[in-house]
Amino acid sequence: MFVFIFHKVSYASTCVCLSNKREFPTFSRTIPSDFFQAKAFAQLVKHFGWTWIGAIQADNEYGIFGVQSFTKEVVKYGVCIAFTENILSSYSRTALLQIIETMKRTAVKVILAFASERDLYPLMQEIVRQNITGIQWLASEDWVTAARPSTEEFFRSFGGTIGLTTRKMAIPKFKDFLLNIRPSLDSVNNLNNVFWEHIFGCTLRLKVESFQQNVSDTKICTGQERLDKIENAFFDVSQLRMTYNVHNAVYAVAHALHDLLFCEKEENKTIKLCGDIARIEPWQFGEAVYFDENGDPPAAYDIINWQLNKGVVSHVTVGHFDTSPDGGSQLVIDEDTEVDQADGNSQALLAQCPYYTTPPLSKPI
């Protein structure tokens, strides 16, 4: 009888809860745990001297565990959590208005929003509608670079937002691979064909002939066009975020499988069946890659700042946060890059911390 144990390697799941090896013994990931994101936010708060902070969390594991971790970190620096409110995209406008009322009542000038763009967007719309300004927003990685709220209209309320996102990296030889894609003449439904027609804005001659289409108004392409002559953001592979995590996840599985099946005895260098799936060498990825005892990789975040330039909201990198295998961490703010902040956010309120409890996983909406 054979028992198969599947080890999962995720490139996008960040919840702190997944670091629990008792519940998830066969889970690893190539994106940092939100524990490190919370730690980075706490150091940002310390860096800017904020002491009176509100928190808005998605009403799910992502938001609740993220804010819990953040709270545990910032209380070490004497920071008061003025309120913690739950949010979901399904919440009624009445629930949104209650959150805004809490924001006004506590007079908080710094708010951490640990939620996805999808869940936070309705609240953002209401904040813009009421022209609420002067709040310094701290954005979790799930919405800090989102395109939908990154508009001049939203900038009135969310200008100066500071957030974290996974580090931009380049995948070695990936651009060469993309530039060598060619359409297939074997199938009109081939994915490469769809890609080719989209890039060149044409219809492949094979498809036209197969379906006997009227070619009078159709731009025909032969499949011999040159991808290296096309200017398209798709081919800019020097600043990848999530794609790079996918790359590392695939390579982690590949190297683990290889080491599981073929490894060498140190004494005589002979090949044998090997059960060690943790022998993944950092040099094989092009950077230092490791998994700790929780299956988590090192954390490497860019610090992003919302800035307005000629009517366009830019996500400007103003620093970074890194962790090391020994448990240390480093927050760096680029002194040569001006960090925009919301008006009035530099003065923290001197107030007694209210009794803090974590809201339940769900609440009436």
Side-chain angles (χ1 to χ4, degrees), residues 35-314:
F35 167 79
F36 299 112
Q37 187 174 184
K39 192 177 185 71
F41 275 126
Q43 291 196 23
L44 269 174
V45 167
K46 179 184 178 183
H47 176 85
F48 288 108
W50 298 320
T51 59
W52 181 247
I53 296 176
I56 297 174
Q57 63 189 20
D59 193 6
N60 51 36
E61 286 82 359
Y62 171 71
I64 291 176
F65 280 100
V67 170
Q68 281 182 349
S69 298
F70 170 74
T71 302
K72 289 178 182 178
E73 290 294 319
V74 293
V75 294
K76 301 175 185 177
Y77 306 133
V79 174
C80 295
I81 303 297
F83 66 83
T84 300
E85 290 285 344
N86 289 354
I87 189 67
L88 279 181
S89 60
S90 59
Y91 275 19
S92 66
R93 185 164 184 262
T94 299
L96 302 182
L97 293 177
Q98 289 175 351
I99 295 173
I100 292 176
E101 177 59 31
T102 299
M103 292 165 51
K104 293 177 178 178
R105 185 179 67 252
T106 56
V108 161
K109 293 297 183 181
V110 182
I111 299 178
L112 168 67
F114 217 111
S116 69
E117 185 268 352
R118 177 176 179 271
D119 286 328
L120 190 63
Y121 191 74
L123 179 63
M124 297 177 78
Q125 286 181 302
E126 188 61 39
I127 289 171
V128 171
R129 186 179 295 116
Q130 294 193 28
N131 195 29
I132 298 174
T133 60
I135 292 176
Q136 176 62 57
W137 289 92
L138 303 180
S140 64
E141 47 80 29
D142 209 291
W143 71 274
V144 67
T145 57
R148 185 165 55 161
S150 298
T151 65
E152 188 172 10
E153 177 189 13
F154 274 61
F155 194 84
R156 293 200 308 271
S157 295
F158 293 91
T161 289
I162 299 175
L164 302 171
T165 188
T166 52
R167 184 72 56 80
K168 290 180 179 179
M169 298 292 289
I171 298 177
K173 301 182 180 180
F174 187 41
K175 186 170 184 177
D176 292 338
F177 169 80
L178 293 176
L179 292 177
N180 280 291
I181 292 175
R182 291 294 180 270
S184 170
L185 300 180
D186 298 328
S187 171
V188 294
N189 295 318
N190 187 278
L191 180 61
N192 286 3
N193 293 0
V194 176
F195 165 78
W196 199 268
E197 291 179 334
H198 174 75
I199 288 294
F200 290 103
C202 62
T203 301
L204 284 163
R205 187 183 304 280
L206 176 65
K207 182 183 292 187
V208 174
E209 295 172 349
S210 297
F211 289 95
Q212 297 181 345
Q213 295 178 350
N214 184 346
V215 299
S216 60
D217 297 323
T218 303
K219 179 183 176 182
I220 304 298
C221 48
T222 64
Q224 301 303 315
E225 291 77 13
R226 295 277 300 274
L227 287 174
D228 58 354
K229 300 298 183 182
I230 295 294
E231 292 186 8
N232 190 297
F234 179 80
F235 296 105
D236 181 6
V237 297
S238 62
Q239 301 185 32
L240 303 174
R241 299 190 192 276
M242 192 62 71
T243 306
Y244 189 74
N245 293 333
V246 175
H247 163 267
N248 280 355
V250 171
Y251 269 74
V253 172
H255 285 297
L257 288 174
H258 183 272
D259 287 340
L260 178 65
L261 296 175
F262 303 104
C263 68
E264 298 178 354
K265 289 183 178 179
E266 292 186 2
E267 59 271 20
N268 56 15
K269 301 297 183 181
T270 57
I271 302 298
K272 72 180 185 70
L273 186 66
C274 177
D276 182 6
I277 64 172
R279 296 176 64 244
I280 303 174
E281 302 297 333
W283 59 265
Q284 295 166 323
F285 292 86
E287 65 161 336
V289 173
Y290 65 87
F291 300 106
D292 64 17
E293 66 275 11
N294 297 320
D296 293 327
Y301 294 105
D302 284 335
I303 301 172
I304 301 298
N305 184 216
W306 282 25
Q307 299 183 12
L308 192 65
N309 183 18
K310 297 180 180 179
V312 176
V313 176
S314 299

